[in-house]
Amino acid sequence: MSLQRICKNGRLFMRVLMRNKPEKKVTYEQVMFLHSFLPQKIIISTSSNIHDNLALEDWLYEHSDLRTPVLLLWRSSPCVVFGRHQNPWTECNVPFCEQNGIVLARRKSGGGTVYHDEGNLNCSFLTERKIYDRRRNLQLVVNALQQRWNLPLSINDRDDILLYQQYKVSGSAAKLARCKSYHHFTILCSVDKLRLTSILNTHLTGVSSKATPSVKMAVANLAEHVPGLGSLDVQHAITEHVLANNEAATVSYADALDETQYPGLAALRAEISSWEWTFAKTPPFTINRRLSPTERGNALIDISIKVRQGLICEAELQVLQCSGAHPQWFLTLKNGIQGVKFDKESVINALSGVKSQWINEDLYGSQQADFLDWLLLAVMQTTGVANSSLDHQLFMSA
Amino acid sequence: MFQNFWTNLLCGGCHLEFLNRKRNDRKEKYFSDKHEWVDVDEKNKTATVGVTHYAQDKLGEIVFVQLPEIGQALEAHGEAGVLESVKAASDVYSPISGKVTAVNTTIVDNPKLINDSPYKDGWMFKCTVGDPKDLVGLMDEAGYEEYVKTCD
């Protein structure tokens, strides 16, 4: 083997070796030198509606010249935001959110599910793809907060910002395209943690799915270290820090409803707030449950519901044990829910339709009524689209 | 002979084994500057598309794969799917135009196949070759290897 080839192979080998080394951490000093990576345009949204703000972010991503890096800041009224490939029904209590006016939204970036309220600040760094660097963005914010309030913050391997090296105060997600990118993250300033914990818990069980699951961690608010600290204070701190370090930076306020300034934004908003995007984009999943009424001790029924693109594409009922059962009950039920849209109204209507059909076919006698009512309720509970006692009462009286 | 022995031991042995592992996996392919590969079957006028070793390495562990629909029309360098790795959703582009004829459902169940075998088991979709001229702008294997050296 010639010396030339040895050297060429050696260099290539070393390059391969170096490529597999862990990413170098960017220090703040390096960030300071990389002046062109600092945001040039700080845009603060005046809307507190999550769909408005996700649409605005999308608009800036599609239409802005990101050679000028942008930092978009916004705060939302109570909402749950899940990642591009997540299942909202396994990530949060969907019926509770729908009943209590908590908006549900699917974002276009990856990552896990978060709860927002006015105590949370969202930061989105929109840049060219070649300067995409999550740690650099997080380091900038950490330094802004540490300089103002001396907060004991650190960044872990998952690009979460931690308080006391233990409690998560920020979670990141990103979207990457050919030439552009955005990295956005939450900052928990004074969020209602009790509400967060109860909402980000699902009652749905028996689900198998390829959807990306959230990684749950203990969370904390910055206000636990600096009493009275709010998201507006943090917004000011970050803005002032960027302005102090980048004399070319500008701040402006964005009205997400201004179609003149943002032509096409309304269409983006319509897409992001649509049921098709929010729910039908959920990766296919199957719910398997074994049903057994306590009053009818011998009955044992396995139910399997497969949901794809927001529809119940398959429903199977396997009766393992049920004395006196009429096969037509289960056939009518299976056919009645197959093809139905996977939401509360559609499922309740479908099950009510099944009950009507049983009555019309003389299958719903006084002796079977209790069992059949229980069966319909059990199927509704299995789907998880409606699980409050109010929903059940409405259903039973339908 | 002594020189050859040390070469094999220090550089050649590990390195060549690494290259051979990649080469056996790879066959003849064209490459885009966004780190997708396309393997064209000239006889049947179909192509197989995936992402390169460099791409999967940069993405990190892939946790979710969104593939195009069968029958979907693709534009050259247009969006064809999404790969989600830790917290980042990355668009995947088709190097050529055409119509999707098959998708690799195995990687939907096991996204890590793209990391482990990007050129073989980790293929993403197959499509017709809409316009042979689309291949003109792509790199061959040697050209792509040179290009990757400039990327880091």
Side-chain angles (χ1 to χ4, degrees), chain A residues 223-239:
Chain A
E224 290 171 44
H225 190 78
V226 181
L229 184 65
S231 55
L232 204 53
D233 304 312
V234 172
Q235 179 184 295
H236 288 325
I238 294 169
T239 307

Side-chain angles (χ1 to χ4, degrees), chain B residues 28-144:
Chain B
E28 285 300 320
K29 288 178 173 24
Y30 297 96
F31 297 82
S32 75
D33 62 351
K34 291 302 164 198
H35 311 288
E36 293 104 12
W37 57 261
V38 55
D39 188 3
V40 180
D41 182 337
E42 306 254 344
K43 189 173 134 197
N44 298 322
K45 307 248 183 291
T46 59
T48 308
V49 176
V51 297
T52 65
H53 172 79
Y54 178 88
Q56 67 79 23
D57 185 53
K58 278 287 168 193
L59 284 167
E61 187 186 338
I62 294 166
V63 297
F64 193 89
V65 180
Q66 187 199 306
L67 295 169
E69 299 287 323
I70 293 177
Q72 183 177 328
L74 300 170
E75 289 177 13
H77 310 295
E79 286 172 23
V82 180
L83 291 178
E84 184 172 339
S85 54
V86 180
K87 303 192 193 186
S90 302
D91 291 333
V92 174
Y93 302 90
S94 176
I96 60 169
S97 60
K99 205 183 220 185
V100 179
T101 54
V103 295
N104 185 1
T105 51
T106 318
I107 57 173
V108 173
D109 293 330
N110 186 6
K112 215 165 160 296
L113 274 176
I114 296 179
N115 296 113
D116 296 338
S117 177
Y119 297 106
K120 194 169 161 235
D121 300 327
W123 66 273
M124 291 185 65
F125 60 89
K126 294 184 193 285
C127 62
T128 57
V129 179
D131 186 350
K133 288 201 219 71
D134 292 335
L135 298 169
V136 169
L138 301 175
M139 294 173 266
D140 62 12
E141 190 178 315
Y144 178 69

Side-chain angles (χ1 to χ4, degrees), chain A residues 48-196:
Chain A
S48 62
N49 178 283
I50 185 63
H51 293 136
D52 285 349
N53 290 316
L54 289 177
L56 178 61
E57 183 184 48
D58 217 23
W59 191 97
L60 293 168
Y61 180 68
E62 295 296 334
H63 299 287
S64 281
D65 180 353
L66 293 178
R67 284 174 297 182
T68 305
V70 172
L71 169 58
L72 173 66
L73 299 168
W74 80 84
R75 293 173 298 145
S76 312
S77 46
C79 62
V80 173
V81 186
F82 33 89
R84 173 71 182 82
H85 301 116
Q86 291 207 294
N87 183 333
W89 289 286
T90 58
E91 293 293 336
C92 68
N93 191 335
V94 170
F96 179 84
C97 291
E98 288 176 338
Q99 272 152 9
N100 291 279
I102 296 167
V103 178
L104 293 160
R106 180 185 300 275
R107 55 178 192 267
K108 294 190 178 178
S109 56
T113 300
V114 290
Y115 168 77
H116 293 184
D117 63 23
E118 288 84 352
N120 168 68
L121 179 69
N122 298 288
C123 305
S124 181
F125 285 76
L126 300 104
T127 64
E128 287 185 291
R129 174 72 189 267
K130 58 188 181 189
I131 65 165
Y132 164 76
D133 187 334
R134 298 204 293 237
R135 282 194 93 83
R136 181 196 64 227
N137 300 334
L138 295 168
Q139 195 68 57
L140 184 143
V141 163
V142 162
N143 279 282
L145 299 178
Q146 282 177 332
Q147 283 183 9
R148 177 69 72 90
W149 289 290
N150 199 23
L151 283 152
L153 299 173
S154 56
I155 305 170
N156 72 3
D157 292 341
R158 284 181 47 79
D159 292 336
D160 299 322
I161 301 178
L162 303 179
L163 185 66
Y164 312 127
Q165 295 190 318
Q166 198 178 350
Y167 300 103
K168 186 170 162 177
V169 297
S170 166
S172 283
K175 175 144 170 64
L176 307 172
R178 185 186 293 281
C179 301
K180 54 193 174 182
S181 65
Y182 63 72
H183 163 221
H184 55 198
F185 50 94
T186 51
I187 305 178
L188 301 180
C189 310
S190 55
V191 169
D192 185 339
K193 266 171 46 177
L194 215 55
R195 206 155 212 225
L196 181 155

Side-chain angles (χ1 to χ4, degrees), chain A residues 6 41 112 195 235 278:
Chain A
I6 293 163
K41 274 206 272 194
R195 206 155 212 225
Q235 179 184 295
T278 309

